[in-house]
Amino acid sequence: MSYAIGIDLGGSKIAGGIVQEKGKVIEKLVVPTEAHKGKTYVINSISNLVECLLNKTKDKIPVIGIGIGVPSPVNFEKGIVYFAPNLGWRNVNIKNELRKYFNSLPVYVDNDANLAAYGEQWIGAGKNIKDFLYLTLGTGIGSGIVLNGKLYRGSNNYAGEFGHMIVEPNGRRCGCGSCGCVEMYSSSKGITFSVKEMYSKGEMTVLKEKIIKESLTGEDVYLAAKEKKDKVAIKALDIAGKYLGIALSSAVNLLDVELIILGGNVSKAKDFILPPLKKELYRRIIYKGKDKVKVKFTQLEPTVAGVIGAARLVFDNINR
């Protein structure tokens, strides 16, 4: 049996795993991204993660390659990351960078959400589904589109930038340079922005200290809503669900998918996000039988779909 290393590079975390050719993860590690320390630091973290994974295996196993998903439009043939706003990267050839460390192993690169969808299609909620949309809800929002059983990349490999669908034309400024992207309302970053905005307008919240210390995270907001019943936190998650539903209705009207799969760390807050999401989604879909569009949460742990999809990219390319 052969194995591949899958890496899921996110705005806040880097997850990596050694994956069997049937999709089972046998080793997994997660480290913080710390993108503010620069490109070289992040690439060194990735290489160290790969080394640690290889060293954790007691026996020398036949690792045949490395797959990596990045939060950016990607030239997947050349391995070039075009623009990753949550990393601060432009035109980075990550394939060449990693080859400096692992010259003996082939490296394959694609968009992180594409690979998460690829993993879901292989062994997750998208198995045996011909047309579905996968969303990864994390620091930002990405998506992978599967149409007629195949990953859809678009003519320039830019397909799937769901996070930059506009839901408020004069809304919050996004890292992409536009205004009102759904990412600025429904991602972890967007949810914390909503909390800070409400606090600045005088609304009281148990998250006050976190806001003052500039250490507020999406996880903090979720826990405040769940454990403290904090009204500001609950409202921020409601806003996230509402805008996500609006954007999803446009995607469904365009693509006519039968399933929406939600993954990523923000999906932990599904009890707060899902009701407003479904309300907006189902009232805005235009065709009959709209209730046939299902919304499911990933069957895989956060980041695992991306790791498995990245490994699948290796197997598919080498077997081809």
Side-chain angles (χ1 to χ4, degrees), residues 172-212:
R172 300 169 184 170
R173 175 72 66 178
C174 180
C176 73
S178 189
C179 292
C181 297
V182 66
E183 182 170 294
M184 294 308 299
Y185 298 88
S186 304
S187 67
S188 178
K189 175 174 58 181
I191 289 166
T192 59
F193 197 107
S194 293
V195 170
K196 293 173 185 176
E197 193 173 68
M198 285 183 273
Y199 174 73
S200 70
K201 292 178 179 179
E203 296 190 46
M204 300 305 296
T205 172
V206 297
L207 296 166
K208 176 180 177 180
E209 293 301 318
K210 293 273 187 179
I211 296 170
I212 292 171

Side-chain angles (χ1 to χ4, degrees), residues 65-81:
I66 301 167
I68 178 166
V70 293
S72 164
V74 171
N75 182 321
F76 69 96
E77 294 173 343
K78 295 182 179 179
I80 299 173
V81 177

Side-chain angles (χ1 to χ4, degrees), residues 11-170:
S12 58
K13 297 176 183 177
I14 307 169
I18 296 181
V19 184
Q20 292 178 346
E21 58 188 337
K22 292 185 178 181
K24 182 179 179 181
V25 180
I26 63 167
E27 291 286 352
K28 185 188 171 191
L29 290 172
V30 180
V31 297
T33 306
E34 299 183 285
H36 63 280
K37 294 184 178 180
K39 179 194 75 174
T40 300
Y41 178 87
V42 174
I43 291 173
N44 284 338
S45 294
I46 296 169
S47 66
N48 290 336
L49 183 61
V50 172
E51 288 285 2
C52 287
L53 285 168
L54 292 173
N55 291 335
K56 279 177 72 69
T57 57
K58 296 178 181 178
D59 303 312
K60 291 292 182 180
I61 63 173
V63 172
I64 61 174
I66 301 167
I68 178 166
V70 293
S72 164
V74 171
N75 182 321
F76 69 96
E77 294 173 343
K78 295 182 179 179
I80 299 173
V81 177
Y82 290 132
F83 176 43
N86 291 322
L87 296 175
W89 290 9
R90 282 186 183 271
N91 299 318
V92 176
N93 193 318
I94 194 168
K95 178 182 283 192
N96 287 347
E97 293 285 351
L98 289 177
R99 277 177 175 167
K100 296 175 185 177
Y101 299 90
F102 306 102
N103 193 38
S104 62
L105 291 173
V107 177
Y108 303 95
V109 184
D110 205 339
N111 172 267
D112 60 343
N114 279 353
L115 294 184
Y118 215 30
E120 288 286 349
Q121 185 190 34
W122 191 16
I123 61 168
K127 191 172 183 179
N128 300 320
I129 303 295
K130 287 182 64 178
D131 302 290
F132 71 87
L133 175 65
Y134 173 88
L135 296 189
T136 175
L137 308 172
T139 306
I141 298 177
S143 72
I145 305 167
V146 173
L147 299 177
N148 200 27
K150 296 181 180 180
L151 195 62
Y152 180 73
R153 291 188 173 93
S155 60
N156 295 296
N157 302 315
Y158 268 79
E161 288 300 314
F162 181 91
H164 301 292
M165 291 183 67
I166 306 301
V167 291
E168 282 288 356
N170 298 310

